[in-house]
Amino acid sequence: MIRPIVVYPDKRLKQQSKPVTEFDETLHTLLDDMNETMLASNGIGLAAIQVGEPLRVLIINLPDEEGNQHPENLIEVINPVILEKRGSTTYTEGCLSVPDYYDDVERADWIRVEFYDRYGNRQEIETDGLLAIAFQHEMDHLEGHLFIEKLSFLKRKKFEKEWKKKQKELKEKKKK
Ligand code: Y12
Ligand code: CO
């Protein structure tokens, strides 16, 4: 089932997500719904809080060179912890909870992460490039942080101004 995506500035996005304790059917349904929701919105990553569930759950599915996403590339990540990180890289990020806004964000270039799969099995991954960026972006959601918080003061001010203008325009359009 596709679930509605929580959009900025909804307060729920500031919530700290809680660890998963039960690797049961409810969790599996959440993961399946998140995947359906992410694919329907052309996303490559999604955290549970973005569908209103304050749990430490996220999914990532990076597209191939042709831009296609494959089910076998889906990574389901539960209770992740970054064990090690190195270097720095900058990438123009976007977020389904901040639609139609993209900006450069600096993050670690390489990370080692521990997490659990949907059955409660411990996993470890060492990764760099886009996958490392996606992990860090989605893990920020678990702490109640969005990529726009990493913008410079001036860029953030410009974003807020543009965002308010867009919301106003959308409101006016709905009235008609
Ligand atoms: C690198 C950078 C950021 C991430 C986090 C995951 N981000 C996304 O999945 C963003 C998806 C997104 C999709 C949009 O929709 C379309 O392109 C049709 C979009 O545009 C609108 O909503 C209008 C914005 C963001 C992982 C790796
Ligand atoms: Co996001």
PDB file of all heavy atoms in Angstrom, residues 38 40-46 50 59-60 62 69 91-102 107 129-135 137-138 141 147 166, ligand 1:
ATOM      1  N   MET A  38       8.133   4.609  -2.101  1.00  0.00           N
ATOM      2  CA  MET A  38       9.357   5.187  -2.670  1.00  0.00           C
ATOM      3  C   MET A  38       9.368   5.050  -4.201  1.00  0.00           C
ATOM      4  O   MET A  38       9.645   6.027  -4.916  1.00  0.00           O
ATOM      5  CB  MET A  38      10.584   4.498  -2.067  1.00  0.00           C
ATOM      6  CG  MET A  38      11.904   5.000  -2.618  1.00  0.00           C
ATOM      7  SD  MET A  38      13.310   4.128  -1.916  1.00  0.00           S
ATOM      8  CE  MET A  38      13.212   2.567  -2.767  1.00  0.00           C
ATOM      9  N   ALA A  40       6.830   4.614  -6.237  1.00  0.00           N
ATOM     10  CA  ALA A  40       5.737   5.400  -6.835  1.00  0.00           C
ATOM     11  C   ALA A  40       6.108   6.875  -6.928  1.00  0.00           C
ATOM     12  O   ALA A  40       5.550   7.617  -7.737  1.00  0.00           O
ATOM     13  CB  ALA A  40       4.475   5.228  -6.013  1.00  0.00           C
ATOM     14  N   SER A  41       7.049   7.316  -6.069  1.00  0.00           N
ATOM     15  CA  SER A  41       7.437   8.735  -6.041  1.00  0.00           C
ATOM     16  C   SER A  41       8.779   8.991  -6.705  1.00  0.00           C
ATOM     17  O   SER A  41       9.339  10.083  -6.566  1.00  0.00           O
ATOM     18  CB  SER A  41       7.512   9.218  -4.588  1.00  0.00           C
ATOM     19  OG  SER A  41       6.411   8.778  -3.864  1.00  0.00           O
ATOM     20  N   ASN A  42       9.329   7.981  -7.372  1.00  0.00           N
ATOM     21  CA  ASN A  42      10.638   8.108  -8.019  1.00  0.00           C
ATOM     22  C   ASN A  42      11.756   8.397  -7.034  1.00  0.00           C
ATOM     23  O   ASN A  42      12.706   9.107  -7.377  1.00  0.00           O
ATOM     24  CB  ASN A  42      10.627   9.210  -9.081  1.00  0.00           C
ATOM     25  CG  ASN A  42      10.013   8.745 -10.377  1.00  0.00           C
ATOM     26  OD1 ASN A  42      10.256   7.627 -10.808  1.00  0.00           O
ATOM     27  ND2 ASN A  42       9.200   9.595 -10.966  1.00  0.00           N
ATOM     28  N   GLY A  43      11.657   7.835  -5.845  1.00  0.00           N
ATOM     29  CA  GLY A  43      12.701   8.048  -4.842  1.00  0.00           C
ATOM     30  C   GLY A  43      13.753   6.961  -4.899  1.00  0.00           C
ATOM     31  O   GLY A  43      13.524   5.875  -5.447  1.00  0.00           O
ATOM     32  N   ILE A  44      14.924   7.260  -4.302  1.00  0.00           N
ATOM     33  CA  ILE A  44      15.973   6.237  -4.220  1.00  0.00           C
ATOM     34  C   ILE A  44      16.260   5.863  -2.768  1.00  0.00           C
ATOM     35  O   ILE A  44      17.018   4.940  -2.492  1.00  0.00           O
ATOM     36  CB  ILE A  44      17.268   6.670  -4.947  1.00  0.00           C
ATOM     37  CG1 ILE A  44      17.807   7.996  -4.408  1.00  0.00           C
ATOM     38  CG2 ILE A  44      17.022   6.798  -6.435  1.00  0.00           C
ATOM     39  CD1 ILE A  44      19.161   8.358  -5.005  1.00  0.00           C
ATOM     40  N   GLY A  45      15.620   6.617  -1.851  1.00  0.00           N
ATOM     41  CA  GLY A  45      15.776   6.322  -0.436  1.00  0.00           C
ATOM     42  C   GLY A  45      14.598   6.871   0.331  1.00  0.00           C
ATOM     43  O   GLY A  45      13.997   7.871  -0.072  1.00  0.00           O
ATOM     44  N   LEU A  46      14.263   6.197   1.436  1.00  0.00           N
ATOM     45  CA  LEU A  46      13.124   6.650   2.239  1.00  0.00           C
ATOM     46  C   LEU A  46      13.307   6.158   3.671  1.00  0.00           C
ATOM     47  O   LEU A  46      13.696   5.003   3.895  1.00  0.00           O
ATOM     48  CB  LEU A  46      11.825   6.081   1.650  1.00  0.00           C
ATOM     49  CG  LEU A  46      10.506   6.650   2.178  1.00  0.00           C
ATOM     50  CD1 LEU A  46      10.267   8.067   1.644  1.00  0.00           C
ATOM     51  CD2 LEU A  46       9.334   5.752   1.772  1.00  0.00           C
ATOM     52  N   GLN A  50       9.270   9.367   7.194  1.00  0.00           N
ATOM     53  CA  GLN A  50       8.711  10.063   6.017  1.00  0.00           C
ATOM     54  C   GLN A  50       7.327   9.530   5.642  1.00  0.00           C
ATOM     55  O   GLN A  50       6.621  10.142   4.852  1.00  0.00           O
ATOM     56  CB  GLN A  50       9.668   9.951   4.825  1.00  0.00           C
ATOM     57  CG  GLN A  50      10.971  10.715   5.018  1.00  0.00           C
ATOM     58  CD  GLN A  50      11.889  10.589   3.821  1.00  0.00           C
ATOM     59  OE1 GLN A  50      12.672   9.642   3.717  1.00  0.00           O
ATOM     60  NE2 GLN A  50      11.775  11.518   2.893  1.00  0.00           N
ATOM     61  N   ILE A  59      15.060   2.504   3.775  1.00  0.00           N
ATOM     62  CA  ILE A  59      15.314   1.672   2.589  1.00  0.00           C
ATOM     63  C   ILE A  59      16.061   2.514   1.554  1.00  0.00           C
ATOM     64  O   ILE A  59      15.911   3.743   1.506  1.00  0.00           O
ATOM     65  CB  ILE A  59      14.016   1.098   1.976  1.00  0.00           C
ATOM     66  CG1 ILE A  59      13.038   2.215   1.579  1.00  0.00           C
ATOM     67  CG2 ILE A  59      13.343   0.122   2.920  1.00  0.00           C
ATOM     68  CD1 ILE A  59      11.899   1.724   0.714  1.00  0.00           C
ATOM     69  N   ILE A  60      16.853   1.823   0.746  1.00  0.00           N
ATOM     70  CA  ILE A  60      17.613   2.474  -0.333  1.00  0.00           C
ATOM     71  C   ILE A  60      17.555   1.550  -1.548  1.00  0.00           C
ATOM     72  O   ILE A  60      17.719   0.332  -1.420  1.00  0.00           O
ATOM     73  CB  ILE A  60      19.084   2.705   0.078  1.00  0.00           C
ATOM     74  CG1 ILE A  60      19.192   3.677   1.267  1.00  0.00           C
ATOM     75  CG2 ILE A  60      19.905   3.230  -1.105  1.00  0.00           C
ATOM     76  CD1 ILE A  60      20.570   3.737   1.913  1.00  0.00           C
ATOM     77  N   LEU A  62      19.314   2.155  -5.242  1.00  0.00           N
ATOM     78  CA  LEU A  62      19.985   3.016  -6.228  1.00  0.00           C
ATOM     79  C   LEU A  62      19.726   2.518  -7.643  1.00  0.00           C
ATOM     80  O   LEU A  62      19.772   1.312  -7.904  1.00  0.00           O
ATOM     81  CB  LEU A  62      21.495   3.047  -5.969  1.00  0.00           C
ATOM     82  CG  LEU A  62      21.960   3.614  -4.623  1.00  0.00           C
ATOM     83  CD1 LEU A  62      23.480   3.718  -4.613  1.00  0.00           C
ATOM     84  CD2 LEU A  62      21.332   4.952  -4.308  1.00  0.00           C
ATOM     85  N   GLN A  69      15.531   0.994 -11.460  1.00  0.00           N
ATOM     86  CA  GLN A  69      15.702   0.386 -10.138  1.00  0.00           C
ATOM     87  C   GLN A  69      15.271  -1.077 -10.197  1.00  0.00           C
ATOM     88  O   GLN A  69      14.256  -1.390 -10.810  1.00  0.00           O
ATOM     89  CB  GLN A  69      14.869   1.150  -9.109  1.00  0.00           C
ATOM     90  CG  GLN A  69      15.485   2.487  -8.737  1.00  0.00           C
ATOM     91  CD  GLN A  69      14.526   3.397  -8.023  1.00  0.00           C
ATOM     92  OE1 GLN A  69      13.515   3.797  -8.579  1.00  0.00           O
ATOM     93  NE2 GLN A  69      14.838   3.730  -6.787  1.00  0.00           N
ATOM     94  N   TYR A  91      27.570  16.283  -2.789  1.00  0.00           N
ATOM     95  CA  TYR A  91      26.613  15.770  -3.776  1.00  0.00           C
ATOM     96  C   TYR A  91      25.349  16.625  -3.731  1.00  0.00           C
ATOM     97  O   TYR A  91      24.944  17.096  -2.654  1.00  0.00           O
ATOM     98  CB  TYR A  91      26.288  14.309  -3.445  1.00  0.00           C
ATOM     99  CG  TYR A  91      25.507  13.603  -4.520  1.00  0.00           C
ATOM    100  CD1 TYR A  91      26.150  13.066  -5.635  1.00  0.00           C
ATOM    101  CD2 TYR A  91      24.122  13.470  -4.428  1.00  0.00           C
ATOM    102  CE1 TYR A  91      25.430  12.420  -6.634  1.00  0.00           C
ATOM    103  CE2 TYR A  91      23.394  12.821  -5.413  1.00  0.00           C
ATOM    104  CZ  TYR A  91      24.050  12.296  -6.509  1.00  0.00           C
ATOM    105  OH  TYR A  91      23.340  11.655  -7.494  1.00  0.00           O
ATOM    106  N   THR A  92      24.725  16.809  -4.881  1.00  0.00           N
ATOM    107  CA  THR A  92      23.480  17.574  -4.929  1.00  0.00           C
ATOM    108  C   THR A  92      22.323  16.653  -4.542  1.00  0.00           C
ATOM    109  O   THR A  92      21.953  15.767  -5.305  1.00  0.00           O
ATOM    110  CB  THR A  92      23.251  18.162  -6.340  1.00  0.00           C
ATOM    111  OG1 THR A  92      24.438  18.849  -6.724  1.00  0.00           O
ATOM    112  CG2 THR A  92      22.083  19.131  -6.355  1.00  0.00           C
ATOM    113  N   GLU A  93      21.811  16.866  -3.319  1.00  0.00           N
ATOM    114  CA  GLU A  93      20.798  15.969  -2.769  1.00  0.00           C
ATOM    115  C   GLU A  93      19.381  16.495  -2.947  1.00  0.00           C
ATOM    116  O   GLU A  93      19.158  17.693  -3.068  1.00  0.00           O
ATOM    117  CB  GLU A  93      21.066  15.749  -1.263  1.00  0.00           C
ATOM    118  CG  GLU A  93      22.399  15.088  -1.008  1.00  0.00           C
ATOM    119  CD  GLU A  93      22.601  14.691   0.446  1.00  0.00           C
ATOM    120  OE1 GLU A  93      21.633  14.726   1.237  1.00  0.00           O
ATOM    121  OE2 GLU A  93      23.749  14.341   0.781  1.00  0.00           O
ATOM    122  N   GLY A  94      18.452  15.552  -2.943  1.00  0.00           N
ATOM    123  CA  GLY A  94      17.034  15.868  -2.931  1.00  0.00           C
ATOM    124  C   GLY A  94      16.367  14.958  -1.917  1.00  0.00           C
ATOM    125  O   GLY A  94      16.976  13.990  -1.455  1.00  0.00           O
ATOM    126  N   CYS A  95      15.126  15.256  -1.567  1.00  0.00           N
ATOM    127  CA  CYS A  95      14.431  14.474  -0.545  1.00  0.00           C
ATOM    128  C   CYS A  95      12.940  14.480  -0.854  1.00  0.00           C
ATOM    129  O   CYS A  95      12.378  15.532  -1.176  1.00  0.00           O
ATOM    130  CB  CYS A  95      14.690  15.102   0.826  1.00  0.00           C
ATOM    131  SG  CYS A  95      13.833  14.282   2.179  1.00  0.00           S
ATOM    132  N   LEU A  96      12.309  13.313  -0.750  1.00  0.00           N
ATOM    133  CA  LEU A  96      10.872  13.243  -1.057  1.00  0.00           C
ATOM    134  C   LEU A  96      10.041  14.083  -0.089  1.00  0.00           C
ATOM    135  O   LEU A  96       8.919  14.454  -0.418  1.00  0.00           O
ATOM    136  CB  LEU A  96      10.402  11.785  -1.038  1.00  0.00           C
ATOM    137  CG  LEU A  96      10.893  10.924  -2.204  1.00  0.00           C
ATOM    138  CD1 LEU A  96      10.511   9.463  -2.000  1.00  0.00           C
ATOM    139  CD2 LEU A  96      10.350  11.437  -3.533  1.00  0.00           C
ATOM    140  N   SER A  97      10.593  14.409   1.073  1.00  0.00           N
ATOM    141  CA  SER A  97       9.862  15.253   2.035  1.00  0.00           C
ATOM    142  C   SER A  97      10.099  16.747   1.793  1.00  0.00           C
ATOM    143  O   SER A  97       9.484  17.587   2.467  1.00  0.00           O
ATOM    144  CB  SER A  97      10.264  14.894   3.476  1.00  0.00           C
ATOM    145  OG  SER A  97       9.811  13.596   3.773  1.00  0.00           O
ATOM    146  N   VAL A  98      11.007  17.052   0.860  1.00  0.00           N
ATOM    147  CA  VAL A  98      11.254  18.450   0.472  1.00  0.00           C
ATOM    148  C   VAL A  98      11.178  18.492  -1.057  1.00  0.00           C
ATOM    149  O   VAL A  98      12.186  18.737  -1.719  1.00  0.00           O
ATOM    150  CB  VAL A  98      12.632  18.945   0.983  1.00  0.00           C
ATOM    151  CG1 VAL A  98      12.765  20.455   0.831  1.00  0.00           C
ATOM    152  CG2 VAL A  98      12.885  18.538   2.426  1.00  0.00           C
ATOM    153  N   PRO A  99       9.988  18.213  -1.619  1.00  0.00           N
ATOM    154  CA  PRO A  99       9.900  18.026  -3.064  1.00  0.00           C
ATOM    155  C   PRO A  99      10.363  19.235  -3.864  1.00  0.00           C
ATOM    156  O   PRO A  99      10.126  20.378  -3.468  1.00  0.00           O
ATOM    157  CB  PRO A  99       8.408  17.745  -3.301  1.00  0.00           C
ATOM    158  CG  PRO A  99       7.708  18.109  -2.059  1.00  0.00           C
ATOM    159  CD  PRO A  99       8.706  18.046  -0.948  1.00  0.00           C
ATOM    160  N   ASP A 100      11.033  18.928  -4.965  1.00  0.00           N
ATOM    161  CA  ASP A 100      11.428  19.949  -5.928  1.00  0.00           C
ATOM    162  C   ASP A 100      12.515  20.900  -5.432  1.00  0.00           C
ATOM    163  O   ASP A 100      12.626  22.017  -5.919  1.00  0.00           O
ATOM    164  CB  ASP A 100      10.187  20.775  -6.334  1.00  0.00           C
ATOM    165  CG  ASP A 100      10.134  20.975  -7.835  1.00  0.00           C
ATOM    166  OD1 ASP A 100      11.023  20.464  -8.524  1.00  0.00           O
ATOM    167  OD2 ASP A 100       9.209  21.667  -8.302  1.00  0.00           O
ATOM    168  N   TYR A 101      13.305  20.478  -4.457  1.00  0.00           N
ATOM    169  CA  TYR A 101      14.427  21.308  -4.012  1.00  0.00           C
ATOM    170  C   TYR A 101      15.679  20.427  -3.931  1.00  0.00           C
ATOM    171  O   TYR A 101      15.647  19.341  -3.345  1.00  0.00           O
ATOM    172  CB  TYR A 101      14.156  21.970  -2.658  1.00  0.00           C
ATOM    173  CG  TYR A 101      15.281  22.899  -2.276  1.00  0.00           C
ATOM    174  CD1 TYR A 101      15.367  24.171  -2.811  1.00  0.00           C
ATOM    175  CD2 TYR A 101      16.301  22.473  -1.414  1.00  0.00           C
ATOM    176  CE1 TYR A 101      16.429  25.015  -2.505  1.00  0.00           C
ATOM    177  CE2 TYR A 101      17.364  23.312  -1.099  1.00  0.00           C
ATOM    178  CZ  TYR A 101      17.417  24.578  -1.651  1.00  0.00           C
ATOM    179  OH  TYR A 101      18.470  25.404  -1.350  1.00  0.00           O
ATOM    180  N   TYR A 102      16.746  20.926  -4.511  1.00  0.00           N
ATOM    181  CA  TYR A 102      18.001  20.166  -4.535  1.00  0.00           C
ATOM    182  C   TYR A 102      19.133  21.111  -4.175  1.00  0.00           C
ATOM    183  O   TYR A 102      19.157  22.257  -4.628  1.00  0.00           O
ATOM    184  CB  TYR A 102      18.264  19.591  -5.945  1.00  0.00           C
ATOM    185  CG  TYR A 102      17.079  18.828  -6.483  1.00  0.00           C
ATOM    186  CD1 TYR A 102      16.053  19.488  -7.165  1.00  0.00           C
ATOM    187  CD2 TYR A 102      16.967  17.460  -6.279  1.00  0.00           C
ATOM    188  CE1 TYR A 102      14.945  18.795  -7.639  1.00  0.00           C
ATOM    189  CE2 TYR A 102      15.859  16.752  -6.746  1.00  0.00           C
ATOM    190  CZ  TYR A 102      14.857  17.439  -7.421  1.00  0.00           C
ATOM    191  OH  TYR A 102      13.760  16.751  -7.877  1.00  0.00           O
ATOM    192  N   ARG A 107      29.267  15.385   2.948  1.00  0.00           N
ATOM    193  CA  ARG A 107      29.159  14.247   3.867  1.00  0.00           C
ATOM    194  C   ARG A 107      30.440  13.423   3.805  1.00  0.00           C
ATOM    195  O   ARG A 107      31.282  13.649   2.935  1.00  0.00           O
ATOM    196  CB  ARG A 107      27.995  13.344   3.459  1.00  0.00           C
ATOM    197  CG  ARG A 107      26.644  14.028   3.501  1.00  0.00           C
ATOM    198  CD  ARG A 107      25.549  12.992   3.443  1.00  0.00           C
ATOM    199  NE  ARG A 107      24.239  13.614   3.331  1.00  0.00           N
ATOM    200  CZ  ARG A 107      23.481  13.969   4.348  1.00  0.00           C
ATOM    201  NH1 ARG A 107      23.901  13.779   5.571  1.00  0.00           N
ATOM    202  NH2 ARG A 107      22.285  14.523   4.159  1.00  0.00           N
ATOM    203  N   GLY A 129      30.753   6.482  -2.291  1.00  0.00           N
ATOM    204  CA  GLY A 129      29.945   7.003  -3.398  1.00  0.00           C
ATOM    205  C   GLY A 129      28.500   7.274  -3.003  1.00  0.00           C
ATOM    206  O   GLY A 129      28.200   7.591  -1.843  1.00  0.00           O
ATOM    207  N   LEU A 130      27.603   7.088  -3.982  1.00  0.00           N
ATOM    208  CA  LEU A 130      26.195   7.441  -3.801  1.00  0.00           C
ATOM    209  C   LEU A 130      25.522   6.646  -2.674  1.00  0.00           C
ATOM    210  O   LEU A 130      24.675   7.184  -1.948  1.00  0.00           O
ATOM    211  CB  LEU A 130      25.450   7.227  -5.131  1.00  0.00           C
ATOM    212  CG  LEU A 130      24.043   7.791  -5.213  1.00  0.00           C
ATOM    213  CD1 LEU A 130      23.991   9.276  -4.879  1.00  0.00           C
ATOM    214  CD2 LEU A 130      23.446   7.544  -6.591  1.00  0.00           C
ATOM    215  N   LEU A 131      25.922   5.384  -2.518  1.00  0.00           N
ATOM    216  CA  LEU A 131      25.299   4.571  -1.461  1.00  0.00           C
ATOM    217  C   LEU A 131      25.650   5.106  -0.077  1.00  0.00           C
ATOM    218  O   LEU A 131      24.789   5.174   0.812  1.00  0.00           O
ATOM    219  CB  LEU A 131      25.703   3.097  -1.615  1.00  0.00           C
ATOM    220  CG  LEU A 131      25.019   2.117  -0.669  1.00  0.00           C
ATOM    221  CD1 LEU A 131      23.493   2.224  -0.770  1.00  0.00           C
ATOM    222  CD2 LEU A 131      25.455   0.678  -0.954  1.00  0.00           C
ATOM    223  N   ALA A 132      26.909   5.534   0.091  1.00  0.00           N
ATOM    224  CA  ALA A 132      27.319   6.103   1.385  1.00  0.00           C
ATOM    225  C   ALA A 132      26.547   7.394   1.656  1.00  0.00           C
ATOM    226  O   ALA A 132      26.127   7.663   2.791  1.00  0.00           O
ATOM    227  CB  ALA A 132      28.825   6.361   1.382  1.00  0.00           C
ATOM    228  N   ILE A 133      26.338   8.176   0.613  1.00  0.00           N
ATOM    229  CA  ILE A 133      25.593   9.438   0.751  1.00  0.00           C
ATOM    230  C   ILE A 133      24.137   9.140   1.137  1.00  0.00           C
ATOM    231  O   ILE A 133      23.578   9.750   2.060  1.00  0.00           O
ATOM    232  CB  ILE A 133      25.666  10.259  -0.567  1.00  0.00           C
ATOM    233  CG1 ILE A 133      27.104  10.743  -0.802  1.00  0.00           C
ATOM    234  CG2 ILE A 133      24.704  11.442  -0.539  1.00  0.00           C
ATOM    235  CD1 ILE A 133      27.387  11.204  -2.219  1.00  0.00           C
ATOM    236  N   ALA A 134      23.550   8.161   0.438  1.00  0.00           N
ATOM    237  CA  ALA A 134      22.150   7.801   0.709  1.00  0.00           C
ATOM    238  C   ALA A 134      21.986   7.305   2.148  1.00  0.00           C
ATOM    239  O   ALA A 134      21.038   7.696   2.847  1.00  0.00           O
ATOM    240  CB  ALA A 134      21.686   6.742  -0.284  1.00  0.00           C
ATOM    241  N   PHE A 135      22.904   6.444   2.614  1.00  0.00           N
ATOM    242  CA  PHE A 135      22.862   5.958   3.999  1.00  0.00           C
ATOM    243  C   PHE A 135      22.861   7.145   4.969  1.00  0.00           C
ATOM    244  O   PHE A 135      22.046   7.200   5.887  1.00  0.00           O
ATOM    245  CB  PHE A 135      24.081   5.067   4.299  1.00  0.00           C
ATOM    246  CG  PHE A 135      23.775   3.580   4.263  1.00  0.00           C
ATOM    247  CD1 PHE A 135      24.065   2.817   3.143  1.00  0.00           C
ATOM    248  CD2 PHE A 135      23.214   2.950   5.358  1.00  0.00           C
ATOM    249  CE1 PHE A 135      23.789   1.452   3.109  1.00  0.00           C
ATOM    250  CE2 PHE A 135      22.936   1.591   5.343  1.00  0.00           C
ATOM    251  CZ  PHE A 135      23.214   0.832   4.213  1.00  0.00           C
ATOM    252  N   HIS A 137      22.159  10.354   4.418  1.00  0.00           N
ATOM    253  CA  HIS A 137      20.949  11.183   4.270  1.00  0.00           C
ATOM    254  C   HIS A 137      19.782  10.536   5.028  1.00  0.00           C
ATOM    255  O   HIS A 137      19.097  11.201   5.809  1.00  0.00           O
ATOM    256  CB  HIS A 137      20.619  11.330   2.779  1.00  0.00           C
ATOM    257  CG  HIS A 137      19.350  12.069   2.499  1.00  0.00           C
ATOM    258  ND1 HIS A 137      19.315  13.300   1.892  1.00  0.00           N
ATOM    259  CD2 HIS A 137      18.046  11.755   2.743  1.00  0.00           C
ATOM    260  CE1 HIS A 137      18.064  13.711   1.791  1.00  0.00           C
ATOM    261  NE2 HIS A 137      17.270  12.780   2.288  1.00  0.00           N
ATOM    262  N   GLU A 138      19.581   9.236   4.809  1.00  0.00           N
ATOM    263  CA  GLU A 138      18.447   8.542   5.437  1.00  0.00           C
ATOM    264  C   GLU A 138      18.646   8.401   6.944  1.00  0.00           C
ATOM    265  O   GLU A 138      17.685   8.502   7.707  1.00  0.00           O
ATOM    266  CB  GLU A 138      18.238   7.155   4.795  1.00  0.00           C
ATOM    267  CG  GLU A 138      17.941   7.177   3.310  1.00  0.00           C
ATOM    268  CD  GLU A 138      16.813   8.108   2.909  1.00  0.00           C
ATOM    269  OE1 GLU A 138      15.919   8.363   3.732  1.00  0.00           O
ATOM    270  OE2 GLU A 138      16.833   8.609   1.772  1.00  0.00           O
ATOM    271  N   HIS A 141      17.468  11.318   8.892  1.00  0.00           N
ATOM    272  CA  HIS A 141      16.021  11.331   9.146  1.00  0.00           C
ATOM    273  C   HIS A 141      15.700  10.651  10.484  1.00  0.00           C
ATOM    274  O   HIS A 141      14.772  11.048  11.183  1.00  0.00           O
ATOM    275  CB  HIS A 141      15.266  10.588   8.042  1.00  0.00           C
ATOM    276  CG  HIS A 141      15.015  11.403   6.807  1.00  0.00           C
ATOM    277  ND1 HIS A 141      14.202  12.509   6.801  1.00  0.00           N
ATOM    278  CD2 HIS A 141      15.448  11.249   5.532  1.00  0.00           C
ATOM    279  CE1 HIS A 141      14.153  13.011   5.570  1.00  0.00           C
ATOM    280  NE2 HIS A 141      14.910  12.276   4.781  1.00  0.00           N
ATOM    281  N   PHE A 147      18.285  17.390   5.091  1.00  0.00           N
ATOM    282  CA  PHE A 147      19.502  17.890   4.419  1.00  0.00           C
ATOM    283  C   PHE A 147      19.532  19.413   4.347  1.00  0.00           C
ATOM    284  O   PHE A 147      20.601  20.011   4.320  1.00  0.00           O
ATOM    285  CB  PHE A 147      19.664  17.247   3.036  1.00  0.00           C
ATOM    286  CG  PHE A 147      18.787  17.813   1.946  1.00  0.00           C
ATOM    287  CD1 PHE A 147      19.315  18.658   0.970  1.00  0.00           C
ATOM    288  CD2 PHE A 147      17.449  17.510   1.882  1.00  0.00           C
ATOM    289  CE1 PHE A 147      18.523  19.174  -0.044  1.00  0.00           C
ATOM    290  CE2 PHE A 147      16.639  18.025   0.872  1.00  0.00           C
ATOM    291  CZ  PHE A 147      17.172  18.858  -0.084  1.00  0.00           C
ATOM    292  N   LYS A 166       6.069  29.244  -2.553  1.00  0.00           N
ATOM    293  CA  LYS A 166       5.483  28.088  -3.253  1.00  0.00           C
ATOM    294  C   LYS A 166       4.225  27.587  -2.536  1.00  0.00           C
ATOM    295  O   LYS A 166       3.209  27.287  -3.172  1.00  0.00           O
ATOM    296  CB  LYS A 166       6.524  26.966  -3.334  1.00  0.00           C
ATOM    297  CG  LYS A 166       6.315  26.068  -4.526  1.00  0.00           C
ATOM    298  CD  LYS A 166       7.424  25.064  -4.680  1.00  0.00           C
ATOM    299  CE  LYS A 166       7.162  23.830  -3.835  1.00  0.00           C
ATOM    300  NZ  LYS A 166       8.210  22.823  -3.923  1.00  0.00           N
TER     301      LYS A 166
HETATM  302  C1  Y12 B   1      21.586  10.897  -2.778  1.00  0.00           C
HETATM  303  C2  Y12 B   1      20.938  12.012  -2.342  1.00  0.00           C
HETATM  304  C3  Y12 B   1      19.779  11.902  -1.612  1.00  0.00           C
HETATM  305  C4  Y12 B   1      19.291  10.654  -1.283  1.00  0.00           C
HETATM  306  C5  Y12 B   1      18.055  10.542  -0.462  1.00  0.00           C
HETATM  307  C6  Y12 B   1      16.881  10.036  -1.211  1.00  0.00           C
HETATM  308  N1  Y12 B   1      16.282  11.067  -1.992  1.00  0.00           N
HETATM  309  C7  Y12 B   1      15.301  10.821  -2.907  1.00  0.00           C
HETATM  310  O1  Y12 B   1      14.942   9.670  -3.087  1.00  0.00           O
HETATM  311  C8  Y12 B   1      14.729  11.975  -3.599  1.00  0.00           C
HETATM  312  C9  Y12 B   1      13.769  11.813  -4.496  1.00  0.00           C
HETATM  313  C10 Y12 B   1      13.074  12.894  -5.175  1.00  0.00           C
HETATM  314  C11 Y12 B   1      12.194  12.577  -6.183  1.00  0.00           C
HETATM  315  C12 Y12 B   1      11.473  13.569  -6.830  1.00  0.00           C
HETATM  316  O2  Y12 B   1      10.509  13.242  -7.753  1.00  0.00           O
HETATM  317  C13 Y12 B   1      10.808  13.084  -9.081  1.00  0.00           C
HETATM  318  O3  Y12 B   1      11.927  13.200  -9.482  1.00  0.00           O
HETATM  319  C14 Y12 B   1       9.667  12.719  -9.945  1.00  0.00           C
HETATM  320  C15 Y12 B   1      11.667  14.875  -6.501  1.00  0.00           C
HETATM  321  O4  Y12 B   1      11.007  15.873  -7.244  1.00  0.00           O
HETATM  322  C16 Y12 B   1       9.755  16.284  -6.881  1.00  0.00           C
HETATM  323  O5  Y12 B   1       9.228  15.861  -5.891  1.00  0.00           O
HETATM  324  C17 Y12 B   1       9.112  17.294  -7.750  1.00  0.00           C
HETATM  325  C18 Y12 B   1      12.536  15.223  -5.490  1.00  0.00           C
HETATM  326  C19 Y12 B   1      13.238  14.224  -4.817  1.00  0.00           C
HETATM  327  C20 Y12 B   1      19.958   9.528  -1.725  1.00  0.00           C
HETATM  328  C21 Y12 B   1      21.113   9.658  -2.467  1.00  0.00           C
END
